[in-house]
Amino acid sequence: MSESLRRIQYVTTYYEWVQGLRFVPMGLMGLGLAVWMALADPPLRLREHPVVVAVAVAVAAGLYVALGLYYRRRFGEVRPSASTRQRTKRLSRLALVAGLVVAGASDLVRWFGGPSQLPTLVGLALFGLALVYCWHWSGRVAHHYLVIAAVLLVFGVLDALGLSPVCALLKQLPSAPVDRCVDVTMVGAAGLVITALGVLDHLLLARLLGPPPESEEAPG
């Protein structure tokens, strides 16, 4: 099977999964939260702001539904098979578990007295491995998952070497102590990855299922 046919099969099989714009509001929420964590004084604790978090989640969920209607109008509906639904549910559960592990990686390392640079490396490496698994699980078609996984690993290595761009930026902000570097990096990375994957998945779907360019349309 040619690469083009494999990509079309991937998009139609996992049609709901690659409706990437639906996930972008969630990614932007993560990026906004990272900025808030960096600038908040005293340090931000989510449990102390349940109303703000609830409103942000509600807005992201509302946009998720609205963008789903956009995809239905523009690209139509593709009903997944029973096996695809089961695989998607398994991957969703795995993504949830991986997210919890990544979110708790810094705390685990701290509890065991690991080096201060290790939490970010561990968290980003786990995040990258999850993306590699998604790429493999989906038939090794969506290569942008590998690219983003590699970027995460590079950021993790830079942090381990004391060259973290996030820490360098926080040092320039008088109200943002460097000890927030791990948390800001992890939350910001999650938001950035979700946003980037959403946009790239959407572009892949639009390129393969969207109307052909006018130059390729049949005359008449």
Side-chain angles (χ1 to χ4, degrees), residues 12-13 78-88:
T12 53
T13 300
V78 177
R79 296 187 179 277
S81 64
S83 60
T84 298
R85 284 197 297 269
Q86 289 298 322
R87 293 189 69 193
T88 303

Side-chain angles (χ1 to χ4, degrees), residues 45 52 103 122:
R45 292 179 177 83
V52 175
V122 171

